[in-house]
Amino acid sequence: VHEPSSHGFSTPITSLSVDADTLVKQIEELSTFSDSPAPSVTRILYTEKDVLARRFVKSLMGLSGLSVREDAVGNIFGRWDGSEPDLPAVATGSHADAIPFSGKYDGVVGVLGALEAINVLKRSGFKPKRSLEIIFFTSEEPTRFGISCLGSRLLAGSDALAKALETTVDGQNISFISAASSAGYLTDPAQISTVFLKKGSYSAFLELHIEQGPILEEEGISIGVVTAIAAPASLKVEFEGTGGHAGAVLMPYRNDAGLAAAELALAVEKHVLDSGSIDTVGTVGILELHPGAINSIPSKSHLEIDTRDIDEERRNIVLKKIHESANEIAKRRRVKLSEFKIINQDPPAHSDKSIIEAMVSAAKDLNLTHKLMISRAYHDSLFMARVSPMGMIFIPCYKGYSHKPEEFASLKDMSNGVKVLALTLAKLSLQ
Amino acid sequence: VHEPSSHGFSTPITSLSVDADTLVKQIEELSTFSDSPAPSVTRILYTEKDVLARRFVKSLMGLSGLSVREDAVGNIFGRWDGSEPDLPAVATGSHADAIPFSGKYDGVVGVLGALEAINVLKRSGFKPKRSLEIIFFTSEEPTRFGISCLGSRLLAGSDALAKALETTVDGQNISFISAASSAGYLTDPAQISTVFLKKGSYSAFLELHIEQGPILEEEGISIGVVTAIAAPASLKVEFEGTGGHAGAVLMPYRNDAGLAAAELALAVEKHVLDSGSIDTVGTVGILELHPGAINSIPSKSHLEIDTRDIDEERRNIVLKKIHESANEIAKRRRVKLSEFKIINQDPPAHSDKSIIEAMVSAAKDLNLTHKLMISRAYHDSLFMARVSPMGMIFIPCYKGYSHKPEEFASLKDMSNGVKVLALTLAKLSLQ
Ligand SMILES: [Mn+2]
Ligand SMILES: [Mn+2]
Ligand SMILES: [Mn+2]
Ligand SMILES: [Mn+2]
């Protein structure tokens, strides 16, 4: 079957051959750069393992003949020049950082899969018109500095973030600036805003990612075409009480910051369920007590709360109710609500219509089943959508698992995703 | 006023002069051996700071003319031989380990105060009949290995503990045995049971301690004469769920181990309050979530629970209800109750009648107000009571604060406590 008209190059679509064995080997190798034992993966921004992962990806970019550059915070770009290199390029990419004790595929499939998509196109004899670019984003996960999609938020031109990063520190009080410079970036803090992309740098941005939900697997569908990304928000909350000795302070004299935190965690669940929509989610992933001794009444507690919805207004109502509960609990338990900070409160993003069409048509060309769907997880695409038309390709993953060692995508599903990505990149490159 | 008949030595009681300035200086110096910034104190078993604190106390014992020995786990004994050194000795002492971010006085007043009591007696010209011994107990606090009163439990002959310590590890998976040997103790693990005291080693054991409660301060009373120590119990509980991505897993498909922990923490509070007695207390001082990332549903949670009462049976009912709640929560939330472990479940201890009489009479001799009271905190005295007649002397502390940096006892109150201790030791030495 030759279809030169639909995708603009003269190779049969059936010959788009993915080297899935190599892709799987690369995923395995990347997973060894980890600070927790296999099969779990822990790869935190600017640690030694993160730096090693970056070196690995840059060397693969070089092997694929891409020209590699890095920006001041370590977003990595691998470029294949098109025949009209001055046109806005078509970009694709994802992240390779991994939260503690997570898996091998989140983000990684969109980085190493993008490299394989480029290899597929090169092997097929395709010649891009617009340049194709792979982006490896710095710190999609908020693990170290509490900021999700750090690299893509900066690429999208967040002045507020550039400013905040000048004074941001991690849990060990290491500044963002010194962490970045220890990894070889940001030798001058004034460089942060050099990361901002010029508007119009890209005509399209695409991200290949595991679904992180069970739908595609359950319905036996190969490709998810993402039409929108849910609106995420996150909060930091701290309570302070008097603390004291667990034996000596009688119950009526206590103001236990830990019990205030426990109540707030349950209130988050309640407000989320009260939204009445299956699409509202909320999670207390971090709950820490100070001083953290069995015989000491907690004098401080610290919670980090994540809530999301495809409906921004409904999510904002949940945020408001969480705030009301925090105040009410503090008052009733005579603890101080010493912090209630909205870390981020992002609107949802919508995929570009013509990119959706390109993805759908690529899936059809390849005889792969597809489904239009929502991304409930956020991605760097959420922020790339602010500076470029955006689209995302999902592939099934085992039981929808993500952020844990059991996370898995099959060789077949990854190959399908890479093919759809390659063909969509080709189509968009010629537009 | 000479009262040679009542206390057996010929110095006027009014001349029992405490060198409170030196005592305060020593307390300040000991507080500098800490792993957290002043005014907080953190001194954990067998760390460098614990070893330095031990060296400091041993050198003071030497300066007071005591003969010093240490047992296999680092209980330290400073002995002043009496005129009848073969009689069971009279002992006093306390601990100097400090939970994270706690204060300078808990335990320390009973160690450095005991040294000053010996100095007072020496300066007064007193000659003991029974030998007097100061004991510095190893790890009263359960911080590192989860075992409270480790030293005194072993002195009291706990075979079960000696056995358990062969395989006990801390949170960093460092074994008790290797931690002890890195501090210069336990060169041979078989030595653990050499710590057991021979029955009849002591005719009395006394502990001077801050009250860790507000009663003496509020009522303006100088000396608390402890008649009983509440019955403590502690639990370790773990829940396990499926975890997953905080965005992608919808609420009905979750089994959040963190919310199970939050519910159990609140259930502990409820069951304690339901006991109906002011004397029942319960605390969740440790609550940890795994993996502990803002965008990850907790797949594991770990709680450590402390509960106490002066009524052992009533406390055991609370334990039983906590267990029922843990099971009920696990079932309802579809998480696994992967651990429910009773770490200790100790009976209360009662002070010896003749020691109570000696303490009361000492307070009266010194014209100090006193009050008979319960100790709600446990102490090494709880376990020493198993192998020796026991008594405790409490002094007021600021607002009842303990286990936090604001912990404070005044120079005057400490002097009073040291005097009562000295006089009681003298009386008991002559009995
Ligand atoms: Mn992720
Ligand atoms: Mn991701
Ligand atoms: Mn204590
Ligand atoms: Mn103590």
Side-chain angles (χ1 to χ4, degrees):
Chain A
V1 192
H2 280 67
E3 295 183 82
S5 61
S6 78
H7 52 84
F9 56 107
S10 56
T11 332
I13 282 173
T14 48
S15 81
L16 285 185
S17 70
V18 174
D19 182 356
D21 289 341
T22 298
L23 176 57
V24 167
K25 263 184 215 145
Q26 289 171 351
I27 289 173
E28 292 301 320
E29 186 165 350
L30 189 50
S31 78
T32 64
F33 304 123
S34 166
D35 282 317
S36 61
S40 80
V41 181
T42 301
R43 196 160 46 240
I44 312 295
L45 177 62
Y46 298 147
T47 60
E48 189 201 342
K49 299 299 159 55
D50 180 53
V51 169
L52 290 173
R54 290 162 178 276
R55 191 176 303 168
F56 176 69
V57 169
K58 285 184 280 184
S59 82
L60 292 179
M61 285 177 166
L63 288 173
S64 294
L66 305 181
S67 54
V68 179
R69 76 173 179 91
E70 294 180 276
D71 69 17
V73 299
N75 290 309
I76 302 170
F77 305 82
R79 187 176 177 101
W80 180 10
D81 272 327
S83 59
E84 300 194 22
D86 295 335
L87 287 178
V90 174
T92 182
S94 192
H95 64 98
D97 60 325
I99 68 166
F101 303 99
S102 61
K104 299 174 187 174
Y105 299 88
D106 174 12
V108 167
V109 167
V111 172
L112 298 177
L115 266 160
E116 181 54 22
I118 295 294
N119 292 339
V120 164
L121 291 177
K122 291 206 161 189
R123 283 196 297 267
S124 78
F126 175 74
K127 299 288 175 215
K129 185 173 94 181
R130 294 178 185 273
S131 300
L132 294 178
E133 217 167 281
I134 297 178
I135 309 180
F136 171 110
F137 292 100
T138 280
S139 195
E140 191 264 352
E141 305 288 1
T143 320
R144 182 160 185 185
F145 293 99
I147 301 158
S148 61
C149 300
L150 195 153
S152 54
R153 281 179 199 268
L154 283 177
L155 288 172
S158 171
D159 268 320
L161 177 56
K163 187 109 202 82
L165 285 175
E166 291 173 10
T167 55
T168 296
V169 296
D170 70 8
Q172 268 68 52
N173 220 33
I174 298 169
S175 73
F176 174 76
I177 287 167
S178 86
S181 85
S182 79
Y185 302 110
L186 256 202
T187 45
D188 171 5
Q191 295 168 338
I192 297 181
S193 58
T194 65
V195 170
F196 299 173
L197 284 176
K198 272 181 293 192
K199 289 256 158 140
S201 295
Y202 299 116
S203 66
F205 175 78
L206 278 173
E207 183 170 5
L208 172 65
H209 206 283
I210 57 170
E211 183 197 340
Q212 304 183 292
I215 299 169
L216 293 174
E217 187 187 59
E218 276 172 13
E219 301 185 4
I221 291 169
S222 298
I223 296 293
V225 171
V226 173
T227 56
I229 301 174
S234 59
L235 303 171
K236 259 189 198 166
V237 183
E238 292 193 0
F239 291 110
E240 284 182 30
T242 315
H245 189 288
V249 184
L250 300 182
M251 301 306 280
Y253 304 107
R254 295 186 177 200
N255 55 352
D256 185 322
L259 294 176
E263 275 199 43
L264 188 63
L266 294 166
V268 168
E269 183 189 42
K270 179 182 183 306
H271 298 321
V272 164
L273 294 175
D274 283 352
S275 99
S277 164
I278 186 81
D279 293 318
T280 318
V281 293
T283 308
V284 177
I286 293 176
L287 194 168
E288 291 166 351
L289 304 184
H290 177 92
I294 184 172
N295 49 0
S296 215
I297 300 163
S299 60
K300 279 187 216 165
S301 57
H302 170 95
L303 301 101
E304 299 192 19
I305 303 168
D306 177 296
T307 175
R308 312 180 190 204
D309 204 318
I310 54 172
D311 183 320
E312 189 178 6
E313 207 178 306
R314 201 165 54 201
R315 182 211 59 195
N316 288 346
I317 292 171
V318 171
L319 287 181
K320 194 168 150 278
K321 285 184 176 175
I322 294 172
H323 198 174
E324 286 164 5
S325 286
N327 279 316
E328 185 276 322
I329 291 164
K331 197 172 167 193
R332 178 165 38 79
R333 287 195 173 269
R334 293 170 289 109
V335 297
K336 187 175 151 202
L337 179 60
S338 50
E339 183 160 30
F340 188 94
K341 189 174 167 189
I342 294 176
I343 305 299
N344 64 289
Q345 185 173 11
D346 297 301
H350 296 275
S351 298
D352 179 77
K353 235 180 128 177
S354 72
I355 295 180
I356 293 174
E357 280 164 17
M359 294 186 285
V360 167
S361 120
K364 283 183 177 165
D365 291 349
L366 292 159
N367 278 318
L368 294 169
T369 51
H370 77 276
K371 177 186 179 105
L372 299 182
M373 62 194 302
I374 296 277
S375 172
R376 299 181 188 282
Y378 59 76
H379 302 280
D380 292 305
S381 293
L382 182 67
F383 301 98
M384 290 304 285
R386 297 181 180 176
V387 286
S388 165
M390 176 276 290
M392 284 195 79
I393 300 163
F394 273 179
I395 57 169
C397 60
Y398 173 63
K399 288 193 180 176
Y401 286 169
S402 189
H403 280 192
K404 52 183 186 173
E406 294 81 358
E407 189 181 81
F408 176 75
S410 75
L411 191 146
K412 181 80 193 147
D413 288 326
M414 290 196 288
S415 293
N416 289 338
V418 168
K419 275 189 214 169
V420 173
L421 176 61
L423 192 50
T424 311
L425 287 172
K427 288 170 188 281
L428 295 171
S429 162
L430 300 179
Q431 276 182 5
Chain B
V1 193
H2 281 67
E3 298 183 80
S5 60
S6 78
H7 52 82
F9 56 108
S10 54
T11 330
I13 282 171
T14 47
S15 82
L16 285 184
S17 70
V18 174
D19 181 354
D21 289 341
T22 299
L23 177 57
V24 167
K25 265 186 214 143
Q26 290 170 352
I27 289 173
E28 291 302 320
E29 184 164 352
L30 188 51
S31 78
T32 64
F33 304 123
S34 167
D35 282 318
S36 61
S40 79
V41 181
T42 300
R43 196 160 46 239
I44 312 294
L45 178 63
Y46 298 148
T47 60
E48 189 201 342
K49 299 299 159 54
D50 180 52
V51 170
L52 290 173
R54 289 162 179 277
R55 192 176 304 166
F56 176 68
V57 170
K58 284 184 281 184
S59 82
L60 291 179
M61 285 177 167
L63 289 173
S64 294
L66 306 181
S67 54
V68 179
R69 75 174 180 91
E70 293 180 276
D71 69 18
V73 300
N75 291 309
I76 302 169
F77 304 82
R79 188 175 176 102
W80 179 12
D81 273 327
S83 61
E84 299 193 23
D86 295 334
L87 286 179
V90 173
T92 183
S94 192
H95 64 99
D97 61 324
I99 69 165
F101 303 98
S102 61
K104 299 174 188 172
Y105 300 87
D106 175 12
V108 167
V109 167
V111 172
L112 298 178
L115 265 160
E116 181 54 21
I118 295 293
N119 291 340
V120 164
L121 291 177
K122 291 205 162 191
R123 284 195 297 266
S124 78
F126 176 73
K127 300 287 174 215
K129 185 173 95 180
R130 295 177 185 272
S131 300
L132 294 178
E133 217 169 280
I134 298 180
I135 309 180
F136 171 111
F137 292 101
T138 280
S139 195
E140 192 264 354
E141 305 289 1
T143 320
R144 182 162 186 183
F145 292 99
I147 300 158
S148 61
C149 301
L150 195 153
S152 54
R153 281 179 200 268
L154 284 177
L155 288 173
S158 172
D159 267 320
L161 178 57
K163 187 108 203 81
L165 285 174
E166 290 173 10
T167 55
T168 296
V169 296
D170 70 8
Q172 268 67 53
N173 220 32
I174 299 169
S175 72
F176 174 77
I177 287 167
S178 86
S181 86
S182 78
Y185 302 111
L186 255 202
T187 45
D188 171 5
Q191 294 167 338
I192 297 181
S193 58
T194 64
V195 170
F196 299 172
L197 283 175
K198 271 182 292 189
K199 290 258 158 138
S201 296
Y202 300 116
S203 65
F205 175 78
L206 277 175
E207 184 170 5
L208 172 65
H209 206 282
I210 57 170
E211 182 196 341
Q212 303 183 293
I215 299 170
L216 293 174
E217 187 187 58
E218 276 172 11
E219 301 186 5
I221 291 170
S222 299
I223 296 292
V225 171
V226 173
T227 56
I229 301 174
S234 59
L235 302 170
K236 260 190 198 165
V237 182
E238 292 193 0
F239 292 109
E240 284 182 30
T242 315
H245 189 288
V249 183
L250 300 182
M251 301 306 280
Y253 304 109
R254 296 185 176 199
N255 55 352
D256 185 322
L259 295 176
E263 277 200 42
L264 188 62
L266 294 167
V268 168
E269 184 188 41
K270 180 182 183 304
H271 297 322
V272 164
L273 294 176
D274 284 353
S275 98
S277 164
I278 186 79
D279 293 318
T280 318
V281 293
T283 308
V284 177
I286 294 176
L287 194 168
E288 292 166 350
L289 304 184
H290 178 93
I294 184 171
N295 50 0
S296 216
I297 300 162
S299 60
K300 277 186 217 165
S301 57
H302 170 95
L303 301 101
E304 297 191 19
I305 302 167
D306 177 296
T307 175
R308 313 181 190 203
D309 205 319
I310 54 171
D311 183 320
E312 187 178 7
E313 207 178 308
R314 200 165 55 200
R315 182 210 60 196
N316 288 346
I317 292 172
V318 170
L319 289 180
K320 193 168 151 279
K321 285 184 176 175
I322 294 173
H323 198 175
E324 286 165 6
S325 286
N327 278 316
E328 185 277 322
I329 292 164
K331 197 173 169 193
R332 177 165 39 79
R333 288 195 172 266
R334 293 170 290 109
V335 296
K336 189 175 148 201
L337 179 61
S338 49
E339 183 162 29
F340 189 94
K341 190 173 165 189
I342 293 176
I343 304 300
N344 64 287
Q345 185 173 9
D346 298 301
H350 296 275
S351 298
D352 178 78
K353 234 178 130 179
S354 72
I355 296 180
I356 294 174
E357 280 165 17
M359 295 186 286
V360 168
S361 120
K364 285 184 178 165
D365 290 350
L366 292 158
N367 277 318
L368 295 169
T369 51
H370 77 276
K371 178 186 177 105
L372 298 183
M373 63 194 303
I374 297 280
S375 172
R376 300 181 187 281
Y378 58 75
H379 302 279
D380 292 304
S381 293
L382 182 67
F383 301 97
M384 290 303 286
R386 296 181 181 174
V387 286
S388 166
M390 176 276 290
M392 284 195 81
I393 301 163
F394 274 178
I395 58 169
C397 60
Y398 173 64
K399 287 192 180 178
Y401 286 169
S402 188
H403 280 192
K404 53 183 186 173
E406 295 82 357
E407 189 180 83
F408 176 74
S410 75
L411 192 146
K412 180 81 193 149
D413 287 327
M414 290 196 290
S415 293
N416 289 338
V418 168
K419 275 189 216 170
V420 172
L421 176 61
L423 191 51
T424 310
L425 287 172
K427 287 171 189 279
L428 294 171
S429 162
L430 299 180
Q431 275 182 3

